[in-house]
Structure formats: C-alpha cells, structure tokens
C-alpha cells in the first residue's frame, strides 16, 4: 500500500491537508451565514437548511481534493475511498430516492411494479456499494487496526466517523422505530433527536475528510 515512486506520490504543489482546511473554512462560513437575516429561507436544522448544506460540502471537497491531489490513487487502487465520498454526498442530497419510485436500497423497488430501468440502475448501485465495502474490509481492516494501535490520526478519525455513522443511522426516525414497541416520544424529544442526527452527520463528514487528509500525509512521508 505504500507508494514506491514519485509517480504515485500525492502532489506536492497542493498540501494534502488542503481538503480538510478548505472544508472547515467553507463549513464555518455556511454555518455563520445562518445568522444573516433573510439569507436562508429554511430553518437551520430543516431539510435544505444551512446545517444540511454544510454536511454535503465536506464530501464534495474530499472527493474533489483526492482526485486533484492524488489521481493515481483516487482512480486506482483507492477508488473505493472516492466512491465512499460521492455516495455519502448523494445520500445527503437524497439522490438515493429522488430519481426512482422507491429508494435504491429499498426492497420494494425491486419487488414492486416499477420500471425495469430503475431496477437495473438500483441493482448496479448496490453492486458498486458491495464492491466498495469488500475493498474496505479486504484492504483496509489490517491497516486500520495497525493505525489505531500506533495512534495514527487517520485511523482514529476514520473510526470516529464510522461511530458517528452508526449513531446517526440509529437515531434517524427513532420515533418511528420505537413505535412498534409501544414507546411514544414527545414531539420535543423527537425534534431533539432529529437535530442531534443532523449535527452528527456534519461531524461525520468533517471527520472523513480529516481521515483522508491525514492518510495522504502519512503516505507522503512513507
């Protein structure tokens, strides 16, 4: 996994921490802009509001930065990393269910009476996701465990991002999930969970860019 020639080293003209620095600046600017009267027509936590928009930005910057700084890896043996950023960005934009009758990860899309073209596209996306997961498990588990033991920033940031992904997914629509068990949450509590989820998704996206930048920095020194 360690680069062995100058051709495979990340570009030195652009610092490998540039994506992380840029995403922090842009995210901070978007969040601060929420204080400007009448600039946003949606609430801070609302869909399409400042927080959700800020959550998309790091994924776009991360993918673009990786492609710009180290295209031989972003399009080569680390293509799954690039795909991860693009898929997370698409999910934040709700593209997983915007262009099909049902969400591409919903079984009803494939079992229901929907256009065959949508089923084929959804199937291809699922295959790409499975291939991406395989690459992460097959080629990333060992380096991640070694990185955690060595206290490397990229490993801890990446693991923290995974934890935030699990937590935010768990509390997404928690009222609906608990209803079958007879647990009814008040609107205030549900709103608090929804806000925590949106905030966690922003932290998740920033942590992933930090992990990517730290990983590129480590490889550059190797």
């Amino acid at each position: 996994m360690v680069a062995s020639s100058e051709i495979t080293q990340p570009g030195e003209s652009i610092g490998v921490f540039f994506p992380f620095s840029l995403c922090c600046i842009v995210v901070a600017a978007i969040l601060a802009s929420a204080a400007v009267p009448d600039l946003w027509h949606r609430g801070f936590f609302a869909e399409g509001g400042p927080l959700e928009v800020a959550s998309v930005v790091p994924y776009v910057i991360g993918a673009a930065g990786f492609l710009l700084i180290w295209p031989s890896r972003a399009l080569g043996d680390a293509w799954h990393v690039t795909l991860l950023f693009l898929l997370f960005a698409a999910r934040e934009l709700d593209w997983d269910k915007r262009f099909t009758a049902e969400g591409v990860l919903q079984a009803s899309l494939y079992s229901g009476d929907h256009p065959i073209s949508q089923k084929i596209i959804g199937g291809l996306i699922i295959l790409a996701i499975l291939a991406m997961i395989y690459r992460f498990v097959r080629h990333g588990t060992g380096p991640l465990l070694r990185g955690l033991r060595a206290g490397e920033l990229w490993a801890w940031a990446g693991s923290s991002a995974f934890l935030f992904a699990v937590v935010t997914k768990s509390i997404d629509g928690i009222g609906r999930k608990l209803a079958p068990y007879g647990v009814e949450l008040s609107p205030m509590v549900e709103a608090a969970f929804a806000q925590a989820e949106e905030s966690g998704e922003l932290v998740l996206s920033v942590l992933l860019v930090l992990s990517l930048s730290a990983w590129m920095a480590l490889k550059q020194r190797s």
Side-chain angles (χ1 to χ4, degrees):
M1 295 293 290
V2 177
S4 58
S5 69
E6 292 184 359
I7 296 178
T8 57
Q9 288 289 340
E12 296 181 357
S13 60
I14 302 177
V16 291
F17 273 96
F18 173 74
F20 176 66
S21 301
L22 180 61
C23 93
C24 287
I25 293 172
V26 176
V27 165
I30 293 173
L31 297 181
S33 72
V36 179
D38 302 323
L39 182 61
W40 294 86
H41 300 293
R42 298 177 184 271
F44 185 81
F45 292 98
E47 184 176 348
L51 187 60
E52 185 179 63
V53 172
S55 299
V56 178
V57 167
Y59 295 126
V60 176
I61 291 177
F66 193 24
L67 287 164
L68 179 64
I69 295 171
W70 211 352
S72 62
R73 299 297 290 268
L75 297 175
D77 61 348
W79 62 265
H80 51 291
V81 176
T82 309
L83 181 61
L84 176 70
F85 278 86
L86 295 176
L87 288 176
F88 267 107
R91 177 182 174 276
E92 282 295 320
L93 294 169
D94 293 328
W95 286 5
D96 56 320
K97 48 184 177 289
R98 180 170 297 178
F99 306 108
T100 53
E102 303 282 349
V104 295
L105 299 180
Q106 299 295 322
S108 55
L109 174 64
Y110 310 98
S111 60
D113 185 20
H114 300 301
I116 187 65
S117 59
Q118 294 187 12
K119 296 181 179 182
I120 293 174
I121 293 173
L124 292 174
I125 293 174
I126 290 177
L127 287 177
I129 292 173
L130 292 176
M132 178 190 70
I133 293 174
Y134 171 79
R135 290 283 299 181
F136 271 109
V137 174
R138 175 69 177 81
H139 300 284
T141 302
L144 178 64
L145 293 177
R146 291 191 295 270
L148 289 172
R149 287 195 295 267
E152 293 171 353
L153 177 58
W154 76 269
W156 282 97
S159 298
S160 299
F162 176 77
L163 178 61
F164 270 93
V166 172
V167 172
T168 54
K169 184 62 178 176
S170 300
I171 64 177
D172 180 20
I174 192 169
R176 181 185 69 254
K177 293 175 180 176
L178 293 177
Y181 302 100
V183 179
E184 184 175 347
L185 301 179
S186 68
M188 183 179 296
V189 173
E190 283 201 56
F193 272 110
Q195 292 174 3
E197 179 211 348
E198 293 295 334
S199 301
E201 288 182 345
L202 173 60
V203 176
L204 159 64
S205 63
V206 173
L207 283 173
L208 280 178
V209 180
L210 174 60
S211 179
L212 173 62
S213 293
W215 177 78
M216 288 194 291
L218 177 67
K219 294 302 180 182
Q220 190 178 55
R221 294 193 303 267
S222 301

